[in-house]
Amino acid sequence: MGVQNAAADLPAMKSNPKFIFFTDFDGTITQQDSNDFMTDTIGYGQAKRREGNIACLNDKISFRDSFQDMMDSVTRPYDQCIQYVVDNVKLDPGFAEFFQWSLKNNIPVVVLSSGMEPIIKALLKKLVGPDAEKMQVLGNQVGSRDGKDINEEGGWTILFRHPESGFGHDKSIELRKYSSLPEDQRPTMFYAGDGVSDLSAARETDLLFAKKGHDLINYCARENVPFTVFEDWTNILAKCKEIVEGKATVQEAAKAGFEAYKSGAAGVNNKETTE
């Protein structure tokens, strides 16, 4: 694939970047996961939702089926759901500064989400502002249920990007389009995530940032996937600056996650996922 073809097929390659930052959205760019927030507060509640998360980590249920179950429990009209999360979900500290730095340094940011694009774009518009349109967003869509309008009670359902996949949105499919580029074109690929929706992406990038205290760390440690831990985007910005400026390598950064996990500094209970 030539440079021009790569740019046509992959929007993030348009500026021929040396680095691309892929990221989960819910609970990664934002402090709260908007889907978890809806499920916990206007759906079937936190306890049942958490049971599904742990079942996913232990391969007892697919993420797609667990997430469908979560969203089916939220029956409020969709326009009200969007307003509800816009009113309550906050941006993770440091993301706005990171994003402005990425724009200045030709580092495209691509959102790969298992959530729903209308909610993500509404949140980004509020939390980031007009520059949010410079972020490519790939997620799931929303459709009507049982002949209703999506803005009626019980009128909407999630439409998965990859309904045949157990992930619903298999993030590895998009990532492999970039990782399979010829070596002289392939950028260094970063990814940030926090939970079960990121399992398909965990092995596919050069440096994985896993959020402190969240499920993705347990998965990476169990499956021997290199990662580094972040608490918020100020950590990510500092580490990316080091790498872009040649003061550190992705390999050095990836070793740090296992050290944090072994020392107990990664903020996870590694017993929870085996119970």
Side-chain angles (χ1 to χ4, degrees):
M1 182 184 291
V3 174
Q4 290 185 335
N5 288 338
D9 294 337
L10 305 173
M13 291 298 295
K14 186 176 181 179
S15 60
N16 194 27
K18 294 182 179 180
F19 303 89
I20 298 180
F21 204 107
F22 300 89
T23 178
D24 175 51
F25 180 76
D26 284 293
T28 301
I29 288 178
T30 56
Q31 292 183 1
Q32 309 97 324
D33 184 307
S34 64
N35 306 299
D36 288 356
F37 178 72
M38 287 193 293
T39 303
D40 293 355
T41 58
I42 58 175
Y44 57 41
Q46 191 270 344
K48 188 172 181 181
R49 191 262 301 168
R50 188 62 188 146
E51 287 177 6
N53 292 159
I54 295 173
C56 284
L57 285 169
N58 289 324
D59 299 322
K60 294 179 179 178
I61 186 174
S62 70
F63 175 82
R64 179 198 61 213
D65 292 347
S66 174
F67 192 57
Q68 180 79 65
D69 195 47
M70 284 171 53
M71 293 298 94
D72 285 349
S73 78
V74 179
T75 61
R76 189 173 292 190
Y78 198 68
D79 56 352
Q80 293 183 25
C81 289
I82 291 178
Q83 192 60 50
Y84 184 58
V85 298
V86 166
D87 288 343
N88 287 281
V89 173
K90 307 301 180 186
L91 196 68
D92 194 271
F95 180 76
E97 182 184 357
F98 169 86
F99 184 50
Q100 290 304 313
W101 173 81
S102 75
L103 291 174
K104 292 176 183 177
N105 289 274
N106 188 29
I107 302 174
V109 175
V110 180
V111 175
L112 299 179
S113 175
S114 291
M116 295 163 280
E117 286 188 17
I119 283 179
I120 296 166
K121 289 179 178 179
L123 278 166
L124 285 173
K125 182 178 180 181
K126 179 194 176 186
L127 298 173
V128 176
D131 280 340
E133 295 183 2
K134 298 174 184 177
M135 257 182 277
Q136 184 184 4
V137 176
L138 297 174
N140 296 309
Q141 296 296 335
V142 180
S144 59
R145 183 197 297 274
D146 300 329
K148 297 180 180 181
D149 186 276
I150 64 171
N151 295 325
E152 294 181 50
E153 183 76 16
W156 64 274
T157 186
I158 188 167
L159 300 178
F160 289 108
R161 178 174 286 271
H162 304 125
E164 73 288 349
S165 165
F167 290 103
H169 177 193
D170 185 345
K171 300 177 182 183
S172 68
I173 292 174
E174 189 69 19
L175 292 170
R176 286 172 185 157
K177 294 177 183 178
Y178 292 85
S179 63
S180 63
L181 289 170
E183 190 172 344
D184 61 340
Q185 297 176 36
R186 183 193 184 284
T188 297
M189 299 166 60
F190 302 109
Y191 185 89
D194 69 320
V196 291
S197 72
D198 301 303
L199 303 188
S200 67
R203 297 182 184 275
E204 301 298 330
T205 52
D206 298 303
L207 181 59
L208 172 66
F209 290 89
K211 196 166 191 178
K212 183 177 180 178
H214 289 262
D215 290 332
L216 184 58
I217 289 176
N218 272 326
Y219 172 82
C220 290
R222 186 185 75 195
E223 301 295 327
N224 203 34
V225 177
F227 67 99
T228 192
V229 179
F230 77 99
E231 291 192 55
D232 61 43
W233 284 79
T234 61
N235 306 141
I236 292 177
L237 176 57
K239 185 57 64 179
C240 286
K241 281 183 175 179
E242 288 182 5
I243 292 169
V244 170
E245 294 168 6
K247 297 176 181 177
T249 67
V250 293
Q251 293 82 4
E252 289 167 346
K255 291 178 182 178
F258 281 110
E259 295 304 317
Y261 180 81
K262 287 187 290 185
S263 71
V268 295
N269 174 10
N270 57 19
K271 294 181 180 179
E272 185 179 37
T273 57
T274 60
E275 293 177 348

